[in-house]
Amino acid sequence: MDPSSSSKRKRDLDPYDELCYKRPKYDVFVNYASEDIGNGFASHLKGALGREGFTICDHNELPKGENKSSELLKAIEDSEIYLVVFSPKYASYKECLDEFVLIMESYAKFKHRKVFPIFYNVERPSDVRNQQGLFFLEAFEGYEKTVDPERVQIWRQALKEAGDKSGLNLKDW
């Protein structure tokens, strides 16, 4: 079989790329709550992307240890597409929210990057945007009492930006 006829995604430069554009190491960085959907929807999503030839990274693929935050930032900055899977318990994990903020900051820095939200079993995308609905409201009410207000405000702003984006709304997958 001719390798050029493969259905796998090609990693050549696209026409919109400038000559100086350095292709990121990963095609897709996936942000999700491992404890909520890591063994279900997220693993199926990553598997499907991998079968189509996308190179994928997420927080589980990074080395454990004291440099995890710098490795996380490096992986995010070295990804072309950000898939953010908002699930019912997503907001219950501070690590997800912190990672998401890094994604939104990186997205703003690089002009060729894309953020695609997936609203998985979330009642309405506006629940993410406005931190409403049972799970998001409950999580943020708790954070208002226990987390630095500036950090909570940064999370809220990032969620508002993502909630304003077009995304895929999947209920009862």
Side-chain angles (χ1 to χ4, degrees):
M1 175 186 240
D2 178 11
S4 64
S5 68
S6 171
S7 66
K8 296 288 185 186
R9 185 171 185 275
K10 305 245 185 292
R11 300 240 343 130
D12 298 330
L13 286 177
D14 293 329
Y16 69 83
D17 293 320
E18 297 99 29
L19 293 175
C20 62
Y21 177 67
K22 177 186 173 286
R23 176 157 297 281
K25 181 177 179 181
Y26 304 106
D27 293 314
V28 181
F29 186 93
V30 185
N31 169 254
Y32 61 97
S34 298
E35 297 83 357
D36 192 15
I37 60 167
N39 292 328
F41 178 76
S43 65
H44 291 287
L45 175 65
K46 293 187 312 180
L49 290 169
R51 285 188 297 279
E52 291 300 316
F54 288 90
T55 54
I56 305 153
C57 187
D58 68 22
H59 58 273
N60 291 321
E61 318 229 348
L62 301 174
K64 307 290 185 220
E66 59 190 58
N67 287 334
K68 183 164 179 157
S69 61
S70 64
E71 290 295 323
L72 177 64
L73 179 59
K74 184 177 178 203
I76 289 170
E77 288 184 343
D78 210 7
S79 298
E80 188 168 6
I81 298 168
Y82 307 114
L83 281 181
V84 182
V85 184
F86 295 110
S87 59
K89 295 184 181 176
Y90 179 92
S92 301
Y93 301 101
K94 296 176 200 171
E95 298 81 16
C96 285
L97 294 167
D98 288 336
E99 184 176 297
F100 176 60
V101 167
L102 292 175
I103 287 170
M104 294 306 284
E105 289 171 351
S106 293
Y107 165 69
K109 287 194 290 189
F110 301 102
K111 70 179 184 178
H112 293 297
R113 307 298 163 88
K114 303 287 183 230
V115 173
F116 293 108
I118 298 173
F119 304 96
Y120 176 74
N121 282 341
V122 173
E123 193 62 33
R124 295 171 299 280
S126 63
D127 289 351
V128 173
R129 180 177 43 250
N130 301 319
Q131 298 87 60
Q132 295 175 339
L134 178 64
F135 295 106
F136 279 79
L137 181 62
E138 185 179 288
F140 273 85
E141 283 176 347
Y143 293 147
E144 294 290 346
K145 299 171 188 164
T146 61
V147 177
D148 174 48
E150 186 177 328
R151 186 176 178 198
V152 173
Q153 189 55 38
I154 291 169
W155 291 339
R156 286 186 182 281
Q157 183 58 39
L159 289 169
K160 181 177 179 350
E161 289 175 34
D164 287 341
K165 293 190 169 303
S166 300
L168 185 60
N169 192 359
L170 300 174
K171 290 195 67 156
D172 303 318
W173 176 72

